[in-house]
Amino acid sequence: MAEMDLSRALEALESAIERSGAPHLDACVRCGLCGSSCHIYLTDPRPENLPVAKLETVARVYRRRRTFLGRRLPWLTGARDLTEQSLDEIIASVYGRCTGCGRCSIHCAVGLDIASLIRAGRHAAAAAGRVPKGIQDTVDNQIRTGNQMAIATPEFLETADWLSEDLSRERNSPDARLRVDQAGARVLYLVNPREVKFFPLSLQAAAGIFHAAGESWTLSSRVYDVTNYGLFAGDDTAAAELTRRVLAEAQRLGVAEIILGECGHGFRAFRWEGPEWIGKSYPIPVRSVLELFDEYLAQGRLKVDPARNPLRVTLHDPCNLVRWGGVSEAQRRVLRCVVADFVEMTPNREQNYCCGGGGGLLSLEDWGELRVRSGRLKAEQVRATGAKIVATPCHNCADQLIELSRVYRLDVEIKSVAELLYDALVPA
Amino acid sequence: MDTAAGRFLALTALWAAVALAVQAGRVAARHHRPHASRAGDPGRAILYNFTVTMLPSHKESASRHPISFSAGILLHAAVFASLTAAFVSLLSPPRFDLARPVIAWTAAIGVLACAFLVLRRILSRELRAISVPDDFAAAVAVGLFLAATAATALGRFPVPSLQVLTGLLLLYVPLGKLRHAVFFFLARADLGRRLGWRGVYPPPARTGIHG
C-alpha cells in the first residue's frame, strides 16, 4: 500500500475521533465488561470479539499520535503506528466483527460511545481505499446509477407499472397507483431498491396505504433509494453526495416533506447523519414512513381490522432506526392497531439485540459464518415469543431474519410494517 | 501548606486541574450543535444518562458482573475519599485526625477492591489480551496511594509522605488512563446529549432492560 494511502487513513481516523469520539476514547478503562452486551462476543466469546478489543485497534493508533504518553512512551499505552498490518486488523475489527449496532455503547460501565469510536476505523479504511468489496461495490452502484441495486430506470418504471396495475385491481380503483415523478406532490417517498427488485409487495403495500389515506405522494424515477452505503463504508464524501441528490430532487419536485421508507440505516443516514455530512440543516422536514402511518391511524384516515392479521406477530427493532434513530413507538402503535396478537420480544426497543446483519455485514461474504452465528441471540428472542410473523421495518434486517429463520428453524414469516398494515385495511 | 510536602501537593493539584481542564476544553471546543432538527430533549437525556442508565437494572455491565461492578464502585469511592483526606491533612490536620478510623477503613476496602480488579485483569484471558502496561501502572499507583492513606490514618506512615505520594499520583493523572476521572463525565454527557437530540433517551418508561 502506498505511503500516501496510510497517511490519508491516519488523517481520516484522527479527524473522525476528534469530531465525536475524543472524550470517549480518553475515558475507556479497558474493563472488558462491554462483552456481555455484544451479540458477536456473546455468540463467539473470543478476546478479539470484545467491543473494547475492536475499539483498541483504532485507539492505539490514535494514542500514538495524539497523546503525550503515546508519543513519548508508546509501550506504556500500547500505542502503535498505522501500518499495513495494523490497518488490516482495523478493517477486520470494524467491518467484520462489528455491525455498529451500539448496544455496547448504552451498556458501557463508563458510558462511552464505543460504536462511534469503532466507526472511526471505517473512515480510515475508506480514506485508504480499503473498504471491503461488497460494501464498496454497493456505494459505487449508488453513485453511478442512483441506486444500490443498479436498477436501470426503464426497469424501475416497468415495475412501477405492473405494481400499479395489480394495486388498481386489488383496490378496485384506477387511482390506486404508484405515483412517479409527480411534481407538486406533498410527499417524496424513498424506498429500499430491494423492494423494487425482490420485495415488490412491500412497495405495493405502501402505495396502497397512501391511496387509502388520500395522500399526495410520489416516487422519483431518478432518486428513489433510501439507503446510503456511504454510512457503512465510512465514506462521508459519497454519503454527502447521495444526501444532496435527494434534497435536490425533493426541491425539483417541489414536495413539502421527505418520507423515508422502512430502512434502518437509510433512516439514520438521511435523518441524522446527512445534515452533518452536508454541513447544514435541511430546508424541508424528514420523517420515517412509520411515523406517517401512525399519524394516518391517529387521524382516522385509515380503517383497519386487526382480525385480518390473526397470527401472532412480534417486532424486531432495527438498531439504526431505534437505538440510533429514536423511532421506537410509532411502529408499535401501528402494529397494535393492525394485528390481533402482538407480542414484544425481550429485550426490545433501544435494548434490542442486533439481528447480526447490520453495518453492511450482509454484503461481506467472508464474514457470513460469523454473521449467521451472531444471529443466534435474535433467533432465541424470536423463538421465545412464539410468533409466526416477525415484523421489521428494515430490509437488511429482513434478509438476515429470513436466513436466521431457515438456519435456526424458526418457521416464521418476515414482513414489513407496511405489509401488515395493508393487509389489515378495510374499505372506507 | 507551609511545609515542602504541602506545597508539592498544592502545586501538583494545580497541575492536574489545569492539565485536565485544558484537555477537557479542547474536547468541548470541538463540540457543535447538530445540524439535524431535534427530536428529543438533550437536557433530560443527559440527566437520564447520569442516573437511570447507571443503575444495575439498566446496565448489563453492572447486572451481569455484580462483583466487578461493586469492586469498581468501592475502589472509586475509596479513591475520592482518600484524595479528600490528603487535602484535609493539608488544610485542616485536626479534622484529618478526627476522621482517621473512617479514612483507614475506606482506604483499606479500596486496596482490596483494587487488588481484586488487578487480579481479574491478570487472570482473565480476555482482559490480558486488551490490557496495556498503563492499566497496571495506574492500578499500582492507585493501590499504593490507597495503602499509604490507610497506613497514614493508622499512624504507620507520616502525613507529609502521604502528601508527597498523593502529589506524585496527581502528576500522573492527566497523562494516562487516570484521565478517565474527568473524561468519564464528558463522555457520559456527550452520549446522553447525542441520544437525547435524536429522541432515543430517555426511552418510554419501563422497569429495566427487560421491562
Side-chain angles (χ1 to χ4, degrees):
Chain A
M1 184 188 296
E3 192 69 27
M4 183 66 80
D5 291 339
L6 283 177
S7 170
R8 275 201 297 265
L10 195 53
E11 198 178 310
L13 183 144
E14 289 175 4
S15 165
I17 288 179
E18 307 230 317
R19 270 200 311 273
S20 63
H24 303 274
L25 201 60
D26 290 328
C28 182
V29 294
R30 290 175 288 279
C31 65
L33 302 184
C34 46
S36 57
S37 302
C38 171
H39 64 289
I40 291 178
Y41 177 76
L42 287 171
T43 51
D44 187 6
R46 287 184 290 160
E48 60 267 36
N49 286 337
L50 278 170
V52 62
K54 303 169 207 175
L55 163 63
E56 276 293 298
T57 62
V58 174
R60 290 181 182 202
V61 172
Y62 181 81
R63 281 204 291 272
R64 180 75 178 94
R65 299 258 302 178
R66 295 298 179 107
T67 65
F68 177 79
L69 287 184
R71 284 194 298 262
R72 304 297 166 104
L73 303 169
W75 58 270
L76 183 62
T77 61
R80 63 179 185 175
D81 290 314
L82 185 65
T83 60
E84 283 190 42
Q85 188 195 345
S86 56
L87 185 58
D88 284 344
E89 287 172 25
I90 287 175
I91 288 168
S93 288
V94 304
Y95 290 105
R97 296 197 177 92
C98 179
T99 58
C101 78
R103 199 163 190 279
C104 55
S105 298
I106 65 169
H107 284 289
C108 170
V110 177
L112 317 183
D113 189 352
I114 301 170
S116 293
L117 286 169
I118 292 175
R119 239 179 78 70
R122 294 194 179 205
H123 286 89
R130 293 285 309 279
V131 175
K133 187 174 182 309
I135 294 176
Q136 187 60 56
D137 286 351
T138 311
V139 174
D140 292 344
N141 276 345
Q142 290 199 274
I143 294 292
R144 199 182 69 249
T145 70
N147 71 86
Q148 59 148 288
M149 307 290 297
I151 301 167
T153 305
E155 186 187 345
F156 170 77
L157 292 172
E158 194 182 317
T159 303
D161 272 349
W162 70 258
L163 284 175
S164 291
E165 284 167 23
D166 275 6
L167 186 63
S168 284
R169 237 188 339 266
E170 210 168 287
R171 303 300 298 169
N172 198 23
S173 164
D175 289 340
R177 303 185 61 80
L178 272 73
R179 307 285 171 175
V180 181
D181 296 332
Q182 305 269 306
R186 194 188 77 80
V187 162
L188 172 64
Y189 181 51
L190 303 180
V191 299
N192 188 320
R194 298 185 66 73
E195 296 185 54
V196 179
K197 195 98 174 168
F198 301 124
F199 302 97
L201 291 182
S202 180
L203 178 53
Q204 192 181 41
I209 295 164
F210 289 145
H211 171 255
E215 184 61 87
S216 160
W217 71 288
T218 187
L219 292 161
S220 159
S221 62
R222 301 194 301 190
V223 184
Y224 57 85
D225 189 348
V226 72
T227 71
N228 189 332
Y229 267 57
L231 176 76
F232 291 153
D235 182 347
D236 287 359
T237 307
E241 169 62 18
L242 295 171
T243 303
R244 284 192 201 97
R245 288 183 190 178
V246 173
L247 290 174
E249 188 66 357
Q251 283 175 329
R252 187 183 74 84
L253 291 169
V255 299
E257 187 172 21
I258 297 171
I259 293 293
L260 308 173
E262 296 185 50
C263 176
H265 90 271
F267 178 81
R268 174 184 173 182
F270 196 79
R271 174 69 177 85
W272 296 114
E273 313 295 347
E276 302 305 317
W277 290 327
I278 66 170
K280 61 182 180 187
S281 305
Y282 295 153
I284 50 178
V286 176
R287 276 193 293 172
S288 162
V289 74
L290 301 165
E291 296 169 290
L292 189 60
F293 291 163
D294 183 34
E295 185 178 279
Y296 292 158
L297 287 165
Q299 292 173 346
R301 290 166 69 177
L302 299 173
K303 279 195 74 176
V304 291
D305 178 6
R308 293 185 173 216
N309 287 312
L311 297 177
R312 175 170 286 187
V313 175
T314 190
L315 173 68
H316 164 66
D317 287 302
C319 308
N320 282 313
L321 179 75
V322 179
R323 188 153 41 237
W324 290 117
V327 178
S328 66
E329 301 312 300
Q331 57 269 46
R332 287 176 162 75
R333 284 191 292 269
V334 170
L335 288 175
R336 286 194 190 100
C337 287
V338 304
V339 306
D341 184 9
F342 173 65
V343 288
E344 291 280 8
M345 60 176 76
T346 306
N348 55 59
R349 295 182 174 87
E350 89 285 356
Q351 300 285 347
N352 198 24
Y353 282 110
C354 175
C355 62
L361 209 55
L362 270 165
S363 310
L364 305 181
E365 286 176 14
D366 292 350
W367 296 89
E369 191 184 327
L370 175 142
R371 171 174 58 77
V372 173
R373 187 171 53 232
S374 74
R376 198 192 75 221
L377 291 178
K378 178 55 57 185
E380 288 168 0
Q381 275 189 289
V382 171
R383 201 191 306 280
T385 65
K388 290 292 173 197
I389 295 172
V390 180
T392 186
C394 172
H395 283 277
N396 278 348
C397 296
D399 283 350
Q400 169 79 348
L401 289 166
I402 288 167
E403 190 165 351
L404 295 182
S405 178
R406 181 177 56 77
V407 172
Y408 293 98
R409 300 171 194 276
L410 297 175
D411 192 26
V412 291
E413 193 179 353
I414 315 301
K415 286 193 168 187
S416 66
V417 175
E419 286 174 285
L420 287 162
L421 171 52
Y422 181 70
D423 289 344
L425 285 178
V426 293
Chain B
M1 219 178 295
D2 48 0
T3 64
R7 283 194 292 275
F8 178 69
L9 177 55
L11 281 174
T12 55
L14 185 65
W15 145 256
V18 170
L20 288 171
V22 167
Q23 292 179 48
R26 279 188 189 151
V27 167
R30 284 194 290 262
H31 174 73
H32 76 273
R33 188 184 166 89
H35 293 295
S37 61
R38 192 160 60 85
D41 182 343
R44 278 186 62 216
I46 292 172
L47 185 63
Y48 178 79
N49 206 29
F50 272 106
T51 52
V52 179
T53 67
M54 294 180 71
L55 300 172
S57 59
H58 285 69
K59 190 161 72 169
E60 286 173 351
S61 51
S63 60
R64 293 190 178 183
H65 306 276
I67 297 175
S68 297
F69 180 71
S70 304
I73 295 285
L74 290 173
L75 171 64
H76 285 86
V79 168
F80 283 108
S82 298
L83 278 174
T84 306
F87 284 99
V88 170
S89 77
L90 182 66
L91 301 169
S92 176
R95 286 202 172 92
F96 181 83
D97 288 336
L98 264 179
R100 276 176 187 268
V102 178
I103 295 166
W105 273 107
T106 308
I109 290 169
V111 171
L112 291 177
C114 186
F116 168 79
L117 292 171
V118 171
L119 273 177
R120 176 177 170 268
R121 190 173 286 281
I122 292 170
L123 297 176
S124 157
R125 182 175 68 112
E126 284 84 359
L127 283 183
R128 277 201 310 274
I130 57 169
S131 294
V132 301
D134 190 24
D135 295 321
F136 296 100
V140 168
V142 167
L144 282 176
F145 162 66
L146 291 171
T149 305
T152 306
L154 293 171
R156 306 286 175 92
F157 195 70
V159 169
S161 300
L162 173 67
Q163 291 169 347
V164 170
L165 203 62
T166 308
L168 291 174
L169 181 70
L170 290 173
L171 279 177
Y172 180 51
V173 165
L175 302 177
K177 175 186 181 173
L178 297 177
R179 284 182 299 169
H180 75 266
V182 164
F183 283 97
F184 160 82
F185 296 98
L186 296 178
R188 201 161 263 283
D190 185 56
L191 183 61
R193 180 169 48 231
R194 199 175 301 177
L195 295 181
W197 193 270
R198 298 180 180 200
V200 178
Y201 273 179
R206 67 171 71 151
T207 52
I209 298 164
H210 300 287

